[in-house]
Amino acid sequence: MVARIYTVAFEGAEARRVDVQVQVTSSGKNIFNIVGLADKAVAESRERVRAAFASLGIALPGKRIIINLAPADLPKEGAHYDLPIALGLMAAIGVIPVDAIESFAAIGELSLDGTISAVPGALPAAVLANSEGLGLICPQPNGAEAAWAGDLPLLAPQNLIQLMNHFKGSQILARPEPGQMIEDKSSIDLRDVRGQETAKRALEVAAAGGHNLLMVGPPGSGKSMLAARMAGLLPPLTAKELLDVSMVHSVAGLLERGQLSRVRPFRAPHHSASMAAMVGGGTKAKPGEASLAHRGVLFLDELPEFTPQVLDSLRQPLETGEIAVARVNAHVTYPARFQLIAAMNPCRCGSGGADGIACRRGERCAADYQARVSGPFMDRLDIQIDVPAVTPADLALPPSKEGTADVAARVARARALQLERNGGRTNAELSQDMLDHVAAPDKDGQKLLIQAAETLGLTARGYHRVLKVARTLADLAGSDSIHRLHIAESLSHRRARKGIAQHKKLHASPRQRQY
């Protein structure tokens, strides 16, 4: 006889069904084998199951025990296979009825005393079980998280004894309630930023259209303060976006007590972050910072201090909205439709280019420092602005009349317009075909854009990004068409890379400098 129960294997942020088949035979030696491309953590399940059974007074038969995890060619990783293996084995030896578990999937790690410990990925496991017409058995700490997946049969026991009693009818496990939905936003407000009206306008435009933003300025000019207030300007997550974001965070083990939040993610990794920490992967493939910022904001402070390889690894997700991690033992895809906000000093000394302050090392300092960020990466940043130092007069000003709530209301109106017009996409996500239909400027605007593209040497990508920002400016103004004024303001938000030009000039040969 073969006892069956289901569990899941994770591929990126999604779960795939795994069939756990347990057979106990009298032929052969007293062996406990787990087959089906299991990693070391899964192979060690047999020892945790043995100890848990011993603590409950359940004796394993002196027979051959085979656990097959099908499909056999799908890699199995993690300790969440403990519970399904234990339940399948209990059914095979007659401790619980065989038919009691056939309509369930199970995840959970076993302690040596039979306690069922929390595991990551309960939400995607519950979503898969619901779509397959199955119930889910998960640890009690994961119950509130799994309950968000819908009206599926759900059991969340503390230990194996509760589960045994439930299937025998001597105890009934109540269905857990979904966790708390967090609606409140951060208490920080845009009014806290004194001066910097141009930067505030750029932040509003970036939030309205989902555009990537770079701020360049000396230390203390307010770049980090502005970036921290971006999440408050963005509209709450829609129901579909909330599910997508929560699935990624569930796989990463970041959903505490099953709490979900409609506030968009804001991730700010340190500049020492490795490639695996940024884009995901590693020995055990996990989502990186770019995926954890899905549908939210990824803030990179001190941009040139990140290694060039890490920055360039973000070029693909900035275009496609997903990250494909290819390793020898894993090939997974994570969603990564994030909005990039970056900040940097004009030079390594920090004060180069500030009013009345000259860099101690001269022009080469700024040139070499800014050259650490590649041109193709910079080309993917829709809005690039200079943020000047804040003067004492700015600090003495009273708080601005407009706060986060006022700007967020305008952002919400502009987003509503573009989502209805663009089929659920922001202006930053427009494809080339859609851009031709919804972002064609008038005659004067087109003339200005062509002249500017030739003068500034815009690439094709830069040309289209100017159009996307102009479309957002028109949406904020409530205009159906793009006029010359919108093109002009969009062009003003593309900062010329003076550092790169100086870098080329400083490192050119004497003959090249003549020209």
Side-chain angles (χ1 to χ4, degrees), residues 206-386:
H211 303 290
N212 302 319
L213 169 66
L214 171 66
M215 295 178 284
V216 182
S221 57
K223 305 185 295 296
S224 299
M225 285 186 66
L226 288 162
R229 283 145 181 80
M230 170 61 89
L233 301 181
L234 299 174
L237 292 167
T238 64
K240 183 179 184 304
E241 290 174 338
L242 177 62
L243 179 61
D244 291 344
V245 170
S246 301
M247 295 266 277
V248 177
H249 286 205
S250 177
V251 171
L254 298 180
L255 293 184
E256 297 182 3
R257 300 184 298 277
Q259 293 180 344
L260 304 187
S261 175
R262 293 192 182 277
V263 180
R264 295 182 182 269
F266 182 87
R267 305 292 299 187
H270 191 261
H271 60 255
S272 62
S274 65
M275 181 85 74
M278 185 65 72
V279 301
T283 305
K284 306 293 184 182
K286 292 293 183 181
E289 291 291 336
S291 295
L292 296 176
H294 180 56
R295 296 298 179 187
V297 176
L298 178 65
F299 175 47
L300 302 183
D301 201 4
E302 308 297 344
L303 184 66
E305 299 298 333
F306 287 84
T307 61
Q309 293 79 9
V310 169
L311 291 182
D312 287 336
S313 69
L314 296 176
R315 283 156 54 180
Q316 179 190 1
L318 283 173
E319 293 289 337
T320 64
E322 62 181 22
I323 293 176
V325 179
R327 299 292 185 267
V328 173
N329 60 346
H331 190 287
V332 296
T333 300
Y334 296 109
R337 180 68 68 182
F338 58 87
Q339 184 174 356
L340 178 65
I341 306 298
M344 61 181 286
N345 296 327
C347 68
R348 182 171 293 280
C349 302
S351 299
D355 293 340
I357 302 177
C359 178
R360 296 189 300 270
R361 298 174 58 192
E363 293 182 347
R364 178 166 293 187
C365 180
D368 291 345
Y369 191 65
Q370 296 184 32
R372 289 174 57 89
V373 184
S374 69
F377 180 87
M378 292 288 290
D379 207 28
R380 287 167 168 81
L381 303 178
D382 304 7
I383 302 175
Q384 304 170 24
I385 60 169
D386 287 305

Side-chain angles (χ1 to χ4, degrees), residues 105-182:
I107 58 170
E109 179 182 347
L110 285 181
S111 298
L112 299 185
D113 61 354
T115 302
I116 305 174
S117 303
V119 292
L123 181 58
V127 170
L128 176 68
N130 194 22
S131 66
E132 298 278 349
L134 301 171
L136 180 69
I137 305 171
C138 67
Q140 186 185 51
N142 294 126
E145 175 185 336
W148 285 106
D151 190 21
L152 76 164
L154 182 60
L155 302 176
Q158 286 183 332
N159 48 55
L160 284 178
I161 293 178
Q162 289 185 352
L163 207 50
M164 290 168 54
N165 293 338
H166 175 84
F167 286 128
K168 290 180 179 179
S170 60
Q171 179 182 356
I172 301 299
L173 290 173
R175 190 182 192 279
E177 295 295 324
Q180 181 183 3
M181 176 64 73
I182 301 174

